Amino acid sequence: MIREWLVYTNRNNQQYKYNVIDISETDIRKVNGFPTWLARELLLAYKNPDHLKRRYSRRDKRELRDYLVNEVFPQVTEVIDKNVRRGDWGEIITSLYLRDISQLETALIKLRYKLNRKKSSFGIDVFGVKLDQSGKVCGLCVCETKTKITYDKQIGVKAYNSLFSNDISAIITIADFMSTLYFNEGKLELADQFDEIVLQKANFPTDHHIFLVHEKKLWSEDVLVELNNLQDLKQGFNVNVLLIDELDNLAKNSFSLVPDVGEDIVYGTT
């Protein structure tokens, strides 16, 4: 459904040293099924549905709901927890975009292995793999996502610094994680693909993307100008400006529906 929700445009008249992709929303948010779809994607990003069924299908529904509300997602009682939850939400949207619109293999599943729900996941925010027609790795895509509901003129600069800090080491770390994950699941061909990245020391063509998932009414082009004025700025990377109307409400509402979606998955017919 994300392809019906988000549309992108590459800017033709570039005034910046990097590529800008503008991403906007359609009216599909008004469709009844949209909130449930988004909540389902949030749940699947954090939890394997088969595991939830195995654990809770013979238990009281309240146990499942309590688990999803109190043990899986960052709480909303503290500012830092709210920021982590919002950041996770932005990373999931970025991953869905890469997976369903850019058609990359993504590491969205890494959120399932967060050891501390109160902290952001490790390493590169979102990691995508380009496969050729034979299914071999032919390129990488690394992304830094910043999700903002307030205005910060430096947010683009902060994202850039995070994206290019210790770049190769970060790629190796997450590729090694994904290789281990897929090997343990018996998906040996996928494991081999990530092994290639580890063994070649990330010697693959790599696209670098910044995703600025931003509250629409507070966006300012000054963010891009400030980034463009950065000294020794690398060229050829991509900045995706995703403007969301009432971003915080959308994120809160989608998280609030997760227990209902989880109940339907475990006890229903989904």
Side-chain angles (χ1 to χ4, degrees):
M1 186 174 283
I2 195 169
R3 285 177 288 185
E4 287 75 43
W5 174 31
L6 302 177
V7 292
Y8 69 92
T9 304
N10 293 294
R11 290 195 188 181
N12 294 322
N13 185 19
Q14 291 284 6
Q15 58 178 317
Y16 304 116
K17 300 171 186 175
Y18 47 83
N19 302 314
V20 178
I21 299 97
D22 293 302
I23 307 173
S24 59
E25 299 180 278
T26 67
D27 291 335
I28 200 171
R29 276 175 58 174
K30 300 176 183 178
V31 175
N32 289 336
F34 178 83
T36 301
W37 164 79
L38 187 51
R40 178 181 173 82
E41 291 293 350
L42 293 181
L43 179 56
L44 296 182
Y46 284 89
K47 289 297 171 182
N48 185 316
D50 291 331
H51 190 192
L52 290 177
K53 290 178 183 179
R54 185 174 179 85
R55 180 188 292 179
Y56 289 104
S57 61
R58 295 180 178 85
R59 309 287 296 183
D60 190 281
K61 294 179 181 180
R62 288 173 296 180
E63 292 188 57
L64 170 65
R65 298 183 72 91
D66 288 344
Y67 171 71
L68 294 177
V69 172
N70 298 317
E71 302 297 335
V72 177
F73 307 113
Q75 295 296 299
V76 293
T77 53
E78 303 290 339
V79 173
I80 189 170
D81 293 340
K82 291 179 181 179
N83 290 339
V84 170
R85 177 184 281 214
R86 191 181 301 116
D88 285 358
W89 188 88
E91 289 185 22
I92 292 169
I93 300 303
T94 299
S95 293
L96 292 173
Y97 183 93
L98 292 185
R99 187 191 72 188
D100 295 342
I101 295 179
S102 301
Q103 297 184 324
L104 301 179
E105 297 288 330
T106 69
L108 176 67
I109 200 170
K110 75 188 182 83
L111 287 175
R112 294 182 180 178
Y113 294 86
K114 285 179 65 172
L115 297 179
N116 189 339
R117 63 192 173 93
K118 295 184 177 182
K119 293 185 178 181
S120 301
S121 57
F122 67 89
I124 295 170
D125 285 347
V126 182
F127 178 80
V129 177
K130 298 179 182 179
L131 304 178
D132 62 21
Q133 293 181 345
S134 63
K136 299 296 183 180
V137 176
C138 61
L140 308 177
C141 178
V142 295
C143 300
E144 175 71 21
T145 300
K146 296 293 185 185
T147 307
K148 295 292 293 181
I149 61 170
T150 58
Y151 176 65
D152 180 355
K153 190 177 183 179
Q154 295 294 316
I155 193 62
V157 173
K158 294 175 182 177
Y160 173 86
N161 290 334
S162 296
L163 181 64
F164 287 101
S165 63
N166 203 18
D167 183 40
I168 297 301
S169 175
I171 292 175
I172 296 300
T173 298
I174 196 170
D176 190 43
F177 167 79
M178 294 304 295
S179 173
T180 301
L181 171 66
Y182 286 128
F183 183 85
N184 290 338
E185 291 182 349
K187 299 177 181 179
L188 302 185
E189 291 185 3
L190 279 171
D192 289 345
Q193 291 169 9
F194 284 96
D195 280 342
E196 283 299 312
I197 298 172
V198 175
L199 295 172
Q200 296 297 325
K201 303 302 181 185
N203 188 24
F204 287 89
T206 303
D207 292 332
H208 293 82
H209 283 257
I210 290 171
F211 273 80
L212 301 178
V213 185
H214 206 284
E215 168 59 48
K216 183 177 181 179
K217 65 176 178 290
L218 295 180
W219 171 255
S220 171
E221 286 288 306
D222 289 344
V223 171
L224 300 182
V225 173
E226 198 73 9
L227 174 58
N228 198 63
N229 291 337
L230 194 65
Q231 290 187 351
D232 300 322
L233 186 72
K234 296 179 183 290
Q235 298 189 18
F237 65 95
N238 306 276
V239 177
N240 302 264
V241 180
L242 172 50
L243 302 183
I244 303 292
D245 191 33
E246 297 185 350
L247 188 156
D248 207 34
N249 285 336
L250 177 60
K252 288 178 180 177
N253 291 339
S254 53
F255 273 113
S256 71
L257 292 173
V258 168
D260 294 333
V261 171
E263 186 175 313
D264 186 47
I265 288 175
V266 174
Y267 306 102
T269 58
T270 303

PDB file of all heavy atoms in Angstrom, residues 49-64:
ATOM      1  N   PRO A  49       5.179 -12.979  13.161  1.00  0.00           N
ATOM      2  CA  PRO A  49       3.801 -13.357  13.498  1.00  0.00           C
ATOM      3  C   PRO A  49       3.655 -14.823  13.896  1.00  0.00           C
ATOM      4  O   PRO A  49       2.835 -15.161  14.760  1.00  0.00           O
ATOM      5  CB  PRO A  49       3.019 -13.044  12.223  1.00  0.00           C
ATOM      6  CG  PRO A  49       4.036 -13.014  11.133  1.00  0.00           C
ATOM      7  CD  PRO A  49       5.285 -12.504  11.779  1.00  0.00           C
ATOM      8  N   ASP A  50       4.446 -15.720  13.291  1.00  0.00           N
ATOM      9  CA  ASP A  50       4.370 -17.132  13.645  1.00  0.00           C
ATOM     10  C   ASP A  50       4.830 -17.369  15.084  1.00  0.00           C
ATOM     11  O   ASP A  50       4.295 -18.228  15.792  1.00  0.00           O
ATOM     12  CB  ASP A  50       5.208 -17.971  12.684  1.00  0.00           C
ATOM     13  CG  ASP A  50       4.611 -18.017  11.287  1.00  0.00           C
ATOM     14  OD1 ASP A  50       3.375 -17.914  11.181  1.00  0.00           O
ATOM     15  OD2 ASP A  50       5.368 -18.141  10.317  1.00  0.00           O
ATOM     16  N   HIS A  51       5.811 -16.589  15.500  1.00  0.00           N
ATOM     17  CA  HIS A  51       6.278 -16.704  16.886  1.00  0.00           C
ATOM     18  C   HIS A  51       5.193 -16.239  17.856  1.00  0.00           C
ATOM     19  O   HIS A  51       4.957 -16.867  18.893  1.00  0.00           O
ATOM     20  CB  HIS A  51       7.557 -15.891  17.076  1.00  0.00           C
ATOM     21  CG  HIS A  51       8.235 -16.129  18.381  1.00  0.00           C
ATOM     22  ND1 HIS A  51       9.254 -15.338  18.855  1.00  0.00           N
ATOM     23  CD2 HIS A  51       8.025 -17.079  19.348  1.00  0.00           C
ATOM     24  CE1 HIS A  51       9.659 -15.777  20.024  1.00  0.00           C
ATOM     25  NE2 HIS A  51       8.936 -16.833  20.353  1.00  0.00           N
ATOM     26  N   LEU A  52       4.535 -15.135  17.525  1.00  0.00           N
ATOM     27  CA  LEU A  52       3.450 -14.643  18.373  1.00  0.00           C
ATOM     28  C   LEU A  52       2.327 -15.670  18.476  1.00  0.00           C
ATOM     29  O   LEU A  52       1.774 -15.901  19.556  1.00  0.00           O
ATOM     30  CB  LEU A  52       2.900 -13.326  17.823  1.00  0.00           C
ATOM     31  CG  LEU A  52       3.810 -12.104  17.923  1.00  0.00           C
ATOM     32  CD1 LEU A  52       3.136 -10.901  17.269  1.00  0.00           C
ATOM     33  CD2 LEU A  52       4.161 -11.792  19.375  1.00  0.00           C
ATOM     34  N   LYS A  53       1.996 -16.297  17.353  1.00  0.00           N
ATOM     35  CA  LYS A  53       0.945 -17.313  17.366  1.00  0.00           C
ATOM     36  C   LYS A  53       1.332 -18.491  18.256  1.00  0.00           C
ATOM     37  O   LYS A  53       0.511 -18.999  19.027  1.00  0.00           O
ATOM     38  CB  LYS A  53       0.680 -17.806  15.937  1.00  0.00           C
ATOM     39  CG  LYS A  53       0.007 -16.799  15.038  1.00  0.00           C
ATOM     40  CD  LYS A  53      -0.150 -17.375  13.629  1.00  0.00           C
ATOM     41  CE  LYS A  53      -0.768 -16.363  12.688  1.00  0.00           C
ATOM     42  NZ  LYS A  53      -0.898 -16.893  11.302  1.00  0.00           N
ATOM     43  N   ARG A  54       2.568 -18.927  18.139  1.00  0.00           N
ATOM     44  CA  ARG A  54       3.023 -20.086  18.909  1.00  0.00           C
ATOM     45  C   ARG A  54       2.995 -19.791  20.406  1.00  0.00           C
ATOM     46  O   ARG A  54       2.647 -20.665  21.215  1.00  0.00           O
ATOM     47  CB  ARG A  54       4.439 -20.474  18.472  1.00  0.00           C
ATOM     48  CG  ARG A  54       4.962 -21.753  19.127  1.00  0.00           C
ATOM     49  CD  ARG A  54       6.306 -22.142  18.538  1.00  0.00           C
ATOM     50  NE  ARG A  54       6.842 -23.343  19.154  1.00  0.00           N
ATOM     51  CZ  ARG A  54       6.539 -24.584  18.783  1.00  0.00           C
ATOM     52  NH1 ARG A  54       5.696 -24.781  17.781  1.00  0.00           N
ATOM     53  NH2 ARG A  54       7.060 -25.627  19.395  1.00  0.00           N
ATOM     54  N   ARG A  55       3.341 -18.567  20.771  1.00  0.00           N
ATOM     55  CA  ARG A  55       3.418 -18.225  22.186  1.00  0.00           C
ATOM     56  C   ARG A  55       2.046 -17.938  22.795  1.00  0.00           C
ATOM     57  O   ARG A  55       1.768 -18.340  23.938  1.00  0.00           O
ATOM     58  CB  ARG A  55       4.319 -17.006  22.391  1.00  0.00           C
ATOM     59  CG  ARG A  55       4.439 -16.588  23.855  1.00  0.00           C
ATOM     60  CD  ARG A  55       5.171 -15.276  24.014  1.00  0.00           C
ATOM     61  NE  ARG A  55       6.580 -15.380  23.663  1.00  0.00           N
ATOM     62  CZ  ARG A  55       7.414 -14.344  23.700  1.00  0.00           C
ATOM     63  NH1 ARG A  55       6.972 -13.141  24.038  1.00  0.00           N
ATOM     64  NH2 ARG A  55       8.684 -14.503  23.386  1.00  0.00           N
ATOM     65  N   TYR A  56       1.178 -17.251  22.046  1.00  0.00           N
ATOM     66  CA  TYR A  56      -0.030 -16.713  22.666  1.00  0.00           C
ATOM     67  C   TYR A  56      -1.351 -17.325  22.186  1.00  0.00           C
ATOM     68  O   TYR A  56      -2.400 -17.013  22.752  1.00  0.00           O
ATOM     69  CB  TYR A  56      -0.095 -15.195  22.435  1.00  0.00           C
ATOM     70  CG  TYR A  56       0.934 -14.438  23.227  1.00  0.00           C
ATOM     71  CD1 TYR A  56       2.073 -13.930  22.602  1.00  0.00           C
ATOM     72  CD2 TYR A  56       0.783 -14.242  24.597  1.00  0.00           C
ATOM     73  CE1 TYR A  56       3.030 -13.238  23.329  1.00  0.00           C
ATOM     74  CE2 TYR A  56       1.729 -13.553  25.322  1.00  0.00           C
ATOM     75  CZ  TYR A  56       2.852 -13.048  24.688  1.00  0.00           C
ATOM     76  OH  TYR A  56       3.794 -12.373  25.425  1.00  0.00           O
ATOM     77  N   SER A  57      -1.336 -18.175  21.180  1.00  0.00           N
ATOM     78  CA  SER A  57      -2.603 -18.642  20.611  1.00  0.00           C
ATOM     79  C   SER A  57      -3.467 -19.401  21.620  1.00  0.00           C
ATOM     80  O   SER A  57      -4.698 -19.434  21.494  1.00  0.00           O
ATOM     81  CB  SER A  57      -2.345 -19.521  19.379  1.00  0.00           C
ATOM     82  OG  SER A  57      -1.590 -20.672  19.734  1.00  0.00           O
ATOM     83  N   ARG A  58      -2.844 -19.983  22.649  1.00  0.00           N
ATOM     84  CA  ARG A  58      -3.601 -20.702  23.678  1.00  0.00           C
ATOM     85  C   ARG A  58      -3.661 -19.930  24.992  1.00  0.00           C
ATOM     86  O   ARG A  58      -4.067 -20.482  26.025  1.00  0.00           O
ATOM     87  CB  ARG A  58      -2.980 -22.092  23.910  1.00  0.00           C
ATOM     88  CG  ARG A  58      -3.085 -23.020  22.705  1.00  0.00           C
ATOM     89  CD  ARG A  58      -2.462 -24.379  23.010  1.00  0.00           C
ATOM     90  NE  ARG A  58      -2.588 -25.294  21.879  1.00  0.00           N
ATOM     91  CZ  ARG A  58      -1.744 -25.353  20.864  1.00  0.00           C
ATOM     92  NH1 ARG A  58      -0.700 -24.523  20.831  1.00  0.00           N
ATOM     93  NH2 ARG A  58      -1.930 -26.203  19.878  1.00  0.00           N
ATOM     94  N   ARG A  59      -3.266 -18.677  24.926  1.00  0.00           N
ATOM     95  CA  ARG A  59      -3.281 -17.847  26.123  1.00  0.00           C
ATOM     96  C   ARG A  59      -4.404 -16.816  26.021  1.00  0.00           C
ATOM     97  O   ARG A  59      -4.989 -16.599  24.957  1.00  0.00           O
ATOM     98  CB  ARG A  59      -1.938 -17.116  26.276  1.00  0.00           C
ATOM     99  CG  ARG A  59      -0.721 -18.007  26.176  1.00  0.00           C
ATOM    100  CD  ARG A  59      -0.538 -18.878  27.396  1.00  0.00           C
ATOM    101  NE  ARG A  59      -0.272 -18.081  28.591  1.00  0.00           N
ATOM    102  CZ  ARG A  59      -0.016 -18.611  29.779  1.00  0.00           C
ATOM    103  NH1 ARG A  59      -0.017 -19.936  29.923  1.00  0.00           N
ATOM    104  NH2 ARG A  59       0.222 -17.842  30.827  1.00  0.00           N
ATOM    105  N   ASP A  60      -4.670 -16.163  27.113  1.00  0.00           N
ATOM    106  CA  ASP A  60      -5.687 -15.119  27.127  1.00  0.00           C
ATOM    107  C   ASP A  60      -5.234 -13.940  26.265  1.00  0.00           C
ATOM    108  O   ASP A  60      -4.052 -13.580  26.256  1.00  0.00           O
ATOM    109  CB  ASP A  60      -5.928 -14.645  28.560  1.00  0.00           C
ATOM    110  CG  ASP A  60      -7.141 -13.746  28.669  1.00  0.00           C
ATOM    111  OD1 ASP A  60      -7.026 -12.549  28.325  1.00  0.00           O
ATOM    112  OD2 ASP A  60      -8.210 -14.239  29.080  1.00  0.00           O
ATOM    113  N   LYS A  61      -6.162 -13.350  25.573  1.00  0.00           N
ATOM    114  CA  LYS A  61      -5.841 -12.240  24.681  1.00  0.00           C
ATOM    115  C   LYS A  61      -5.196 -11.071  25.420  1.00  0.00           C
ATOM    116  O   LYS A  61      -4.385 -10.332  24.850  1.00  0.00           O
ATOM    117  CB  LYS A  61      -7.093 -11.767  23.954  1.00  0.00           C
ATOM    118  CG  LYS A  61      -7.686 -12.787  22.985  1.00  0.00           C
ATOM    119  CD  LYS A  61      -8.941 -12.254  22.323  1.00  0.00           C
ATOM    120  CE  LYS A  61      -9.529 -13.290  21.367  1.00  0.00           C
ATOM    121  NZ  LYS A  61     -10.764 -12.789  20.706  1.00  0.00           N
ATOM    122  N   ARG A  62      -5.568 -10.904  26.678  1.00  0.00           N
ATOM    123  CA  ARG A  62      -5.020  -9.778  27.436  1.00  0.00           C
ATOM    124  C   ARG A  62      -3.516  -9.904  27.610  1.00  0.00           C
ATOM    125  O   ARG A  62      -2.811  -8.888  27.683  1.00  0.00           O
ATOM    126  CB  ARG A  62      -5.706  -9.693  28.806  1.00  0.00           C
ATOM    127  CG  ARG A  62      -7.154  -9.213  28.746  1.00  0.00           C
ATOM    128  CD  ARG A  62      -7.824  -9.305  30.087  1.00  0.00           C
ATOM    129  NE  ARG A  62      -7.932 -10.697  30.529  1.00  0.00           N
ATOM    130  CZ  ARG A  62      -8.491 -11.062  31.675  1.00  0.00           C
ATOM    131  NH1 ARG A  62      -8.986 -10.138  32.488  1.00  0.00           N
ATOM    132  NH2 ARG A  62      -8.567 -12.337  32.006  1.00  0.00           N
ATOM    133  N   GLU A  63      -3.021 -11.140  27.667  1.00  0.00           N
ATOM    134  CA  GLU A  63      -1.576 -11.325  27.801  1.00  0.00           C
ATOM    135  C   GLU A  63      -0.843 -10.832  26.563  1.00  0.00           C
ATOM    136  O   GLU A  63       0.214 -10.199  26.658  1.00  0.00           O
ATOM    137  CB  GLU A  63      -1.257 -12.799  28.051  1.00  0.00           C
ATOM    138  CG  GLU A  63      -1.709 -13.327  29.394  1.00  0.00           C
ATOM    139  CD  GLU A  63      -1.200 -14.726  29.646  1.00  0.00           C
ATOM    140  OE1 GLU A  63       0.028 -14.948  29.601  1.00  0.00           O
ATOM    141  OE2 GLU A  63      -2.041 -15.624  29.863  1.00  0.00           O
ATOM    142  N   LEU A  64      -1.378 -11.141  25.404  1.00  0.00           N
ATOM    143  CA  LEU A  64      -0.780 -10.662  24.161  1.00  0.00           C
ATOM    144  C   LEU A  64      -0.801  -9.148  24.106  1.00  0.00           C
ATOM    145  O   LEU A  64       0.217  -8.518  23.783  1.00  0.00           O
ATOM    146  CB  LEU A  64      -1.531 -11.240  22.961  1.00  0.00           C
ATOM    147  CG  LEU A  64      -1.170 -10.635  21.599  1.00  0.00           C
ATOM    148  CD1 LEU A  64       0.281 -10.958  21.237  1.00  0.00           C
ATOM    149  CD2 LEU A  64      -2.125 -11.129  20.515  1.00  0.00           C
TER     150      LEU A  64
END
